[in-house]
Amino acid sequence: MNEPKTPLIDHIGWRLWHAAMVWKARYTEEMVKAGHGWYAEARSNIIPHIAADGTKQSEIVREMGLTKQAVQQLVDDLELEGVVTRVPDPNDRRGKLVMFTEKGRRAQRDAVLVKRKVESEFRKKLGHEDFGRLFRLLHDLAPD
């Protein structure tokens, strides 16, 4: 016997998630157009967790909530792509830092332009005032 499906409710979490997915899809599309096809793949999800001066792989594991093995595979894939490299951590003899290569830094520079482009599209869609209000409200919900 089939159980009746519980109806989905419209709620703020769904709206926030869906808006984030719309943003990510536009961002990814533009990054691929800019020549960074790997942005359309799961391995790109570690990019926001890598600081300009490098990040310990263990820190990426902690921030992403993935296993060490999963993060290892993502880093390996990006290393093969030439986007990141591992270098000795000057503060930890046994540790390694994940750092951007020149290719990775170029992608990061392109990402700034792409983010501005997508943000401009959102600003046009909402209007300058409503976009500003949304930006402030989102910051209030999730401060830095």
Side-chain angles (χ1 to χ4, degrees):
M1 175 161 103
N2 289 339
E3 295 278 329
K5 291 184 180 180
T6 304
L8 298 177
I9 63 167
D10 195 8
H11 57 91
I12 189 70
W14 163 249
R15 295 295 173 170
L16 290 168
W17 181 84
H18 187 66
M21 293 301 101
V22 169
W23 167 272
K24 187 172 184 338
R26 281 294 298 125
Y27 174 71
T28 299
E29 178 183 355
E30 291 299 323
M31 286 301 287
V32 169
K33 283 184 190 176
H36 311 291
W38 49 271
Y39 253 91
E41 300 168 8
R43 57 190 172 160
S44 70
N45 289 323
I46 69 168
I47 297 299
H49 303 282
I50 302 172
D53 59 348
T55 302
K56 288 183 178 188
Q57 191 165 308
S58 60
E59 182 68 16
I60 297 170
V61 168
R62 188 185 62 73
E63 286 183 12
M64 292 187 76
L66 298 175
T67 65
K68 291 189 309 188
Q69 295 82 357
V71 170
Q72 177 80 31
Q73 185 62 56
L74 295 172
V75 172
D76 286 349
D77 290 351
L78 286 176
E79 194 168 35
L80 285 172
E81 184 77 32
V83 175
V84 299
T85 188
R86 291 178 179 98
V87 299
D89 182 345
N91 301 315
D92 179 359
R93 283 191 342 216
R94 295 179 301 154
K96 297 275 188 184
L97 294 177
V98 178
M99 297 189 72
F100 289 113
T101 61
E102 179 51 39
K103 181 177 181 176
R105 287 188 297 275
R106 190 169 46 253
Q108 291 306 97
R109 289 189 298 270
D110 288 347
V112 170
L113 300 174
V114 166
K115 289 170 189 174
R116 287 182 180 150
K117 178 180 180 174
V118 176
E119 185 173 291
S120 176
E121 292 171 8
F122 279 43
R123 188 181 302 274
K124 279 183 188 172
K125 186 171 188 169
L126 294 177
H128 185 75
E129 188 177 314
D130 282 345
F131 182 87
R133 186 177 310 117
L134 174 63
F135 192 88
R136 288 186 303 278
L137 291 170
L138 288 172
H139 183 270
D140 289 348
L141 280 176
D144 297 338

